[in-house]
C-alpha cells in the first residue's frame, strides 16, 4: 500500500476537487437539464451544518493562537465559501465580532460521501486570559452555522510562573463504557471555569485510541467516529482537545471497508495538532508545545521507529521521528519550562504479563518501544512519560532500564529526580473493557501503584511554589464511577 504524507494527500484530493468542479461547471454550460447531484443536496442544509467543533493549541511560536476545527457531511465551496469562525471577547450573541478566514484548511480524502469534510481555522492574536464566544460558519452562507460556544485563552506564557496549569488526561476511550469518564471530564471543565478562583489554564490530552471506530463493522467506521465526536460536544468546543496517535487510529479492521480509510487517515484529517501544517512535520503523528511550566512532547508509538508496529506507513516527511524527538527535547529551555512530559500510546512499563515478564524484564511490544525511546527519555531527563493502551492505571517508581532510582521506591513525594516516572492511563472507557486484575504481575520492582477496578482519568497540575522556591508537578488519578482519588503523587525540583 502506498502511503503519502498528508500534505500530498491534501494536494491530490484538492486536485480531484478542482477537476470535479471543472467537470460540474462544464456540465452546467453544456446542458441545462442535467441534474447535478451536488445541487440537489443543497436543499438539505443540515448536511452543511458545522458539527463536532473542537479546539487545539498550535505550536509555541504562536502561544496566543488556537485552531478551531469542525466537520460537515457535505461542502460546496462555490455556494458556501470558505470556512470561517466568528468570535468576540465581549458579545455572547456575536452581533459584534471578528471573523477569521485568512488561514484555514479544508480536508477531504477518499469518498467524501463516506468521510465528509474537515475544516480547520487558525485564529491568531487572541488576547491571553480572556473568555471568547465563537461560532463556526462559512463566508458566503452565515446562516448555516454551529452553536455559539465559548473558550478561555491561557495565561501569557511570560506570567506562567504565577499560575497553576491543569490538564485532564486519559487514553483509550470510544463510544462504549466511556459514559462516566466523559461525564466527569464535562463536570470538571464546567465547574473549573465556573469557579472564580480558577484561572483559564485547562485542556484535555487524549493518549491515543480515540473513537474505537475500527472495532465495529467497516461500514460503521465513519459513523462511529461521528458518534464519538458528537458525544464530546460538551467538552471539545470548550477546551483545547489535544490527541496523540494509538493503534486504533490506523483505520477500519473489519470488512467491508475502503482502503482509503487506512493509514491513520481519519486521525490526520479530523484533528489539527501542532505540526500538522508545518513543512517539517506535516501530520498529527508527533508534536510538541509549551503550556505553562511544561513542554509536552507527543510521540508516535505506532509508526516510524525501528521495528514499529505499522512499518507500511511512513510519516517521515523531512525528519525522522527519533531524530525529531532528540532534537526537540535537546532544545527545550528548562528555565522557561522546567518540566517535560512525554505522552504516547503504547507503554514501555506495564505489569500486564504481555508487556513484562515475572522477573520484571520488559518483553513484547514494550521491549521494542524501550529500545527505541527509553535512552532518549533518560538522556534528556523527561520527568513523566504517560501512555494508554492497557485499560487500567499504573504508575512506576522513577525508573530507567528497569532499575529504580535509588532511594525513591514507593514514595508519593519526589524531589530533584533523575529518572522518569512512567504512567499507564488507559481506562478512559472503551468497547474492549477494562484489563482484568488477573492479567497483571503484582509486585514488579519498578511498579508503584496499579488500579484496574474502574475506568478513570488523571489530573496533572504544574505550578511554582514561591514559599519553597520549587517547581511542582502534581498528578492525581480518579476512579470514574465514584470520583474517588485512587493515586496521588508530586514531583518537585529546585527553581
Ligand atoms: C509553527 O507554526 C508556524 C505557523 O503555522 C510555522 O511557520 C512555524 O514553522 C512552526 N514552527 C515549528 C517549530 O513547527
Ligand atoms: C495550512 O497551510 C496552508 C498552506 O500554507 C494554508 O493555506 C492554510 O491556511 C494553513 N491552515 C491553517 C489551519 O493554518
Ligand atoms: C441562507 O441565506 C441564503 C441567502 O443569503 C438563502 O438563500 C437561504 O435560503 C438561507 N438558508 C437558510 C437555511 O436560512
Ligand atoms: C526474565 O524472564 C524472561 C522471560 O521469561 C527471560 O527471557 C529473561 O532471560 C529473564 N531475565 C533474567 C535477568 O532473569
Ligand atoms: Fe491501544
Amino acid at each position: 500500500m502506498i502511503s503519502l504524507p498528508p500534505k500530498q494527500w491534501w494536494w491530490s484530493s484538492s486536485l480531484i476537487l478542482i477537476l470535479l468542479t471543472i467537470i460540474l461547471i462544464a456540465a452546467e454550460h453544456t446542458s441545462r437539464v442535467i441534474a447535478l447531484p451536488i445541487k440537489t443536496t443543497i436543499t438539505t442544509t443540515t448536511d452543511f451544518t458545522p458539527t463536532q467543533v473542537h479546539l487545539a493549541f498550535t505550536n509555541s511560536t504562536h502561544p496566543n493562537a488556537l485552531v478551531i476545527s469542525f466537520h460537515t457531511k457535505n461542502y460546496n465551496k462555490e455556494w458556501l465559501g470558505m470556512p470561517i469562525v466568528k468570535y468576540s471577547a465581549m458579545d455572547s450573541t456575536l452581533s459584534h465580532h471578528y471573523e477569521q478566514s485568512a488561514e484555514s484548511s479544508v480536508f477531504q480524502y477518499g469518498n467524501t460521501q463516506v468521510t465528509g469534510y474537515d475544516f480547520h481555522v487558525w485564529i491568531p492574536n487572541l488576547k491571553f486570559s480572556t473568555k471568547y464566544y465563537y461560532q463556526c460558519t462559512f463566508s458566503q452562507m452565515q446562516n448555516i452555522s454551529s452553536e455559539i460556544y465559548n473558550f478561555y485563552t491561557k495565561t501569557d506564557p511570560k506570567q506562567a510562573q504565577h499560575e497553576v496549569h491543569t490538564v485532564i488526561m486519559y487514553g483509550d476511550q470510544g463510544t462504549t463504557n466511556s459514559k462516566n469518564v466523559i461525564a466527569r471530564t464535562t463536570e470538571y471543565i464546567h465547574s473549573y471555569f465556573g469557579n472564580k478562583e480558577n484561572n483559564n489554564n485547562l485542556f484535555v490530552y487524549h493518549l491515543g485510541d480515540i473513537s474505537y471506530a475500527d472495532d465495529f463493522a467497516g461500514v460503521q467506521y465513519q459513523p462511529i467516529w461521528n458518534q464519538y465526536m458528537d458525544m464530546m460536544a460538551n467538552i471539545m468546543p470548550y477546551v483545547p482537545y489535544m490527541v496523540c496517535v494509538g493503534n486504533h487510529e490506523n483505520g477500519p479492521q473489519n470488512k467491508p471497508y475502503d482502503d482509503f480509510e487506512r493509514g491513520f487517515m481519519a486521525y490526520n484529517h479530523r484533528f489539527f495538532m501542532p505540526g500538522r501544517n508545518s513543512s517539517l512535520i506535516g501530520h498529527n503523528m508527533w508534536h510538541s508545545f509549551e503550556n505553562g511550566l511544561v513542554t509536552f512532547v507527543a510521540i508516535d508509538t505506532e509508526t516510524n521507529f525501528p521495528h514499529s508496529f505499522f512499518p507500511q506507513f511512513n510519516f517521515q516527511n523531512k525528519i525522522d521521528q527519533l531524530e525529531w524527538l532528540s532534537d526537540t527535547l535537546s532544545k527545550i529551555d528548562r528555565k522557561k519550562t522546567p518540566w517535560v512530559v512525554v505522552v504516547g500510546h503504547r507503554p514501555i512499563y506495564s505489569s500486564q504479563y504481555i508487556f513484562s515478564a515475572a522477573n520484571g524484564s520488559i518483553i513484547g511490544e514494550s521491549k521494542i518501544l524501550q529500545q527505541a525511546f527509553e535512552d532518549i527519555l533518560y538522556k534528556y531527563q523527561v520527568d513523566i512519560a504517560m501512555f494508554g493502551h492497557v485499560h487500567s492505571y499504573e504508575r512506576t517508581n522513577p525508573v530507567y532500564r528497569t532499575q529504580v532510582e535509588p532511594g525513591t521506591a514507593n514514595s508519593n513525594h519526589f524531589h530533584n529526580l533523575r529518572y522518569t516516572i512512567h504512567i499507564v492511563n488507559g481506562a478512559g472507557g472503551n468497547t474492549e473493557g477494562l484489563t482484568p486484575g488477573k492479567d497483571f504481575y503484582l509486585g514488579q520492582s519498578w511498579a508503584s501503584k496499579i488500579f484496574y477496578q474502574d475506568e478513570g482519568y488523571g489530573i496533572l497540575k504544574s505550578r511554582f511554589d514561591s514559599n519553597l522556591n520549587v517547581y511542582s508537578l502534581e498528578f492525581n488519578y480518579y476512579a470514574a464511577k465514584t470520583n474517588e482519588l485512587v493515586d496521588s503523587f508530586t514531583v518537585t525540583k529546585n527553581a
Side-chain angles (χ1 to χ4, degrees):
M1 187 180 302
I2 302 162
S3 79
L4 298 170
K7 282 250 154 156
Q8 280 165 257
W9 302 332
W10 191 85
W11 283 117
S12 50
S13 46
S14 27
L15 206 65
I16 292 166
L17 180 70
I18 291 164
L19 286 175
L20 267 177
T21 313
I22 292 168
I23 292 165
L24 289 177
I25 291 168
E28 200 157 28
H29 281 277
T30 48
S31 163
R32 284 172 179 276
V33 290
I34 291 177
L36 298 169
I38 207 136
K39 284 268 164 82
T40 55
T41 51
I42 281 171
T43 51
T44 327
T45 49
T46 53
D47 281 6
F48 301 96
T49 305
T51 58
Q52 306 177 19
V53 175
H54 53 286
L55 308 177
F57 289 126
T58 62
N59 73 33
S60 301
T61 318
H62 304 280
N64 58 349
L66 283 176
V67 169
I68 300 182
S69 304
F70 60 95
H71 184 88
T72 63
K73 285 191 193 135
N74 202 350
Y75 176 57
N76 177 324
K77 190 178 171 193
E78 285 63 49
W79 187 62
L80 294 167
M82 287 304 283
I84 63 168
V85 170
K86 299 179 6 181
Y87 62 101
S88 168
M90 329 287 274
D91 182 358
S92 62
T93 63
L94 297 176
S95 45
H96 302 284
H97 61 261
Y98 295 98
E99 274 177 29
Q100 177 60 28
S101 61
E103 294 276 311
S104 62
S105 295
V106 181
F107 288 169
Q108 58 176 102
Y109 62 101
N111 173 358
T112 55
Q113 290 189 350
V114 175
T115 51
Y117 293 82
D118 293 292
F119 304 87
H120 307 277
V121 182
W122 192 62
I123 315 284
N125 304 320
L126 292 164
K127 280 181 278 188
F128 292 114
S129 304
T130 301
K131 182 176 189 175
Y132 279 92
Y133 298 90
Y134 74 102
Q135 185 174 41
C136 302
T137 178
F138 297 97
S139 56
Q140 293 170 34
M141 209 51 70
Q142 301 199 8
N143 53 6
I144 297 178
S145 60
S146 72
E147 282 177 45
I148 297 175
Y149 297 106
N150 61 73
F151 60 78
Y152 294 79
T153 52
K154 66 182 180 188
T155 303
D156 184 338
K158 292 191 201 80
Q159 306 294 317
Q161 295 263 35
H162 306 294
E163 300 281 1
V164 178
H165 285 66
T166 307
V167 194
I168 306 171
M169 305 177 88
Y170 50 76
D172 305 71
Q173 191 159 68
T175 55
T176 343
N177 300 320
S178 55
K179 189 177 81 222
N180 291 334
V181 174
I182 292 176
R184 296 295 176 195
T185 304
T186 304
E187 251 165 57
Y188 195 96
I189 291 168
H190 295 278
S191 63
Y192 192 93
F193 291 135
N195 183 345
K196 289 264 181 298
E197 290 182 6
N198 283 325
N199 54 36
N200 302 322
N201 299 302
L202 179 67
F203 74 96
V204 177
Y205 227 132
H206 190 141
L207 310 163
D209 285 3
I210 299 167
S211 74
Y212 279 80
D214 62 334
D215 272 357
F216 296 78
V219 287
Q220 287 285 84
Y221 186 72
Q222 295 294 338
I224 297 288
W225 257 112
N226 293 334
Q227 186 191 341
Y228 177 71
M229 299 301 279
D230 288 342
M231 284 172 74
M232 303 305 274
N234 293 319
I235 297 173
M236 288 184 171
Y238 298 97
V239 289
Y241 200 86
M242 305 306 283
V243 292
C244 70
V245 68
N247 52 301
H248 283 279
E249 272 67 69
N250 174 23
Q253 312 183 59
N254 303 313
K255 288 190 172 7
Y257 64 77
D258 291 305
D259 277 344
F260 62 72
E261 304 222 64
R262 303 198 83 183
F264 303 88
M265 295 296 272
Y267 176 73
N268 275 305
H269 288 82
R270 287 173 177 266
F271 294 97
F272 203 97
M273 290 297 105
R276 179 65 182 83
N277 229 23
S278 92
S279 56
L280 193 65
I281 300 177
H283 52 68
N284 291 331
M285 306 300 277
W286 51 82
H287 64 256
S288 88
F289 63 97
E290 293 167 13
N291 186 258
L293 299 169
V294 184
T295 293
F296 289 91
V297 180
I299 61 172
D300 167 7
T301 61
E302 309 309 308
T303 73
N304 291 84
F305 54 88
H307 312 289
S308 85
F309 308 109
F310 296 96
Q312 69 273 40
F313 301 120
N314 181 14
F315 288 90
Q316 179 179 329
N317 183 13
K318 298 220 175 89
I319 191 162
D320 163 70
Q321 177 180 204
L322 297 183
E323 201 184 313
W324 168 85
L325 179 61
S326 293
D327 186 55
T328 300
L329 292 172
S330 73
K331 285 181 181 152
I332 295 172
D333 175 358
R334 300 299 277 255
K335 291 208 170 66
K336 191 175 175 207
T337 66
W339 301 111
V340 176
V341 174
V342 164
V343 303
H345 182 64
R346 298 190 212 218
I348 299 175
Y349 290 91
S350 164
S351 298
Q352 193 181 0
Y353 66 81
I354 52 176
F355 302 117
S356 58
N359 62 14
S361 67
I362 305 302
I363 60 169
E365 293 174 8
S366 293
K367 183 83 196 165
I368 294 169
L369 293 163
Q370 182 180 40
Q371 283 167 346
F373 292 104
E374 191 176 26
D375 283 354
I376 302 176
L377 305 187
Y378 175 75
K379 180 173 178 191
Y380 297 106
Q381 303 199 32
V382 169
D383 299 287
I384 292 180
M386 199 177 316
F387 306 94
H389 198 53
V390 182
H391 302 161
S392 63
Y393 172 75
E394 176 160 8
R395 163 169 61 106
T396 68
N397 293 307
V399 65
Y400 173 56
R401 295 192 177 187
T402 70
Q403 299 305 301
V404 175
E405 183 165 343
T408 67
N410 303 317
S411 177
N412 296 323
H413 297 278
F414 306 93
H415 186 62
N416 288 347
L417 283 179
R418 177 64 188 86
Y419 294 2
T420 306
I421 294 175
H422 289 248
I423 296 171
V424 176
N425 178 3
N430 65 71
T431 177
E432 295 172 1
L434 293 166
T435 306
K438 64 173 173 48
D439 287 4
F440 296 94
Y441 289 121
L442 301 179
Q444 299 288 30
S445 58
W446 39 260
S448 173
K449 176 88 195 178
I450 297 185
F451 178 79
Y452 46 76
Q453 288 87 348
D454 189 7
E455 277 89 27
Y457 63 97
I459 301 289
L460 181 75
K461 286 182 182 285
S462 59
R463 52 164 72 82
F464 171 64
D465 183 334
S466 55
N467 295 326
L468 300 173
N469 201 38
V470 294
Y471 296 114
S472 83
L473 205 51
E474 177 192 353
F475 185 74
N476 291 319
Y477 185 79
Y478 298 88
K481 225 170 268 141
T482 56
N483 220 18
E484 199 181 319
L485 182 64
V486 166
D487 187 30
S488 178
F489 73 92
T490 309
V491 193
T492 52
K493 64 172 75 173
N494 293 345

